[in-house]
Amino acid sequence: MNTTTKQGLLKYGIPSIAIIVVVIQLFLVNTKDLSRWKGGGYGMYTEMHYVYNQIYIPGMSVDSLVKDNPKMKSTLGHLMLMPNKINLKKAAKLVLDTFKKDSIHIQIWKPVVNVEKETYTRVLKEEIRLNKSNL
């Protein structure tokens, strides 16, 4: 590789790749609810870390669901990372199939800190009510 090619790669190639990574990450944050903490961490200090998201399933303990079930742990972990309708439906189907239930209600809550008012609250990010008859 000659010097001109190396200089061109350093001057234009590497910055172009960095810009592409940033654009992809921002696209996923704004369209697929990807946590700002993932995919490069651009804007990661503008929101609470995704591990503080809470999954609520009435009548079930999420901790006991993920304890001995790697697939459940992976699916619910992915739901916390990207709390969107697609991942919520995957989690609901898995819970329905695993526990042979007829219906399920799952909610994902995100923490919100208001510095001016000095408050810590939760907001409902997504929820789903799924019946086996809807599948």
Side-chain angles (χ1 to χ4, degrees):
M1 194 180 291
N2 62 26
T3 306
T4 308
T5 306
K6 285 181 186 178
Q7 287 177 341
L9 181 64
L10 290 173
K11 190 173 183 180
Y12 300 109
I14 294 174
S16 297
I17 291 171
I19 289 171
I20 290 169
V21 168
V22 170
V23 168
I24 290 171
Q25 198 269 344
L26 290 174
F27 172 77
L28 291 173
V29 164
N30 292 312
T31 61
K32 302 292 183 186
D33 288 324
L34 175 69
S35 169
R36 294 179 191 274
W37 286 80
K38 287 292 187 180
Y42 304 103
M44 63 193 260
Y45 294 113
T46 61
E47 70 179 18
M48 296 282 289
H49 196 277
Y50 70 91
V51 297
Y52 296 108
N53 291 347
Q54 295 175 326
I55 298 171
Y56 177 69
I57 305 171
M60 300 182 113
S61 166
V62 174
D63 291 337
S64 63
L65 291 177
V66 300
K67 186 176 181 183
D68 295 324
N69 189 334
K71 183 168 179 156
M72 187 74 69
K73 184 175 184 176
S74 171
T75 303
L76 294 180
H78 197 69
L79 174 61
M80 288 177 66
L81 175 64
M82 292 179 72
N84 58 34
K85 295 244 183 236
I86 295 167
N87 292 331
L88 197 56
K89 192 167 186 176
K90 285 179 188 175
K93 283 182 181 179
L94 180 62
V95 172
L96 281 175
D97 292 342
T98 303
F99 294 98
K100 308 293 188 240
K101 296 181 95 132
D102 292 331
S103 64
I104 191 76
H105 178 210
I106 301 178
Q107 299 175 329
I108 182 97
W109 294 82
K110 289 189 85 155
V112 176
V113 175
N114 186 328
V115 178
E116 288 98 26
K117 294 181 181 178
E118 297 180 356
T119 59
Y120 174 85
T121 57
R122 297 180 313 147
V123 293
L124 182 62
K125 180 66 180 163
E126 291 287 345
E127 74 176 324
I128 190 171
R129 294 176 194 273
L130 190 65
N131 297 325
K132 276 209 173 177
S133 60
N134 294 357
L135 296 176

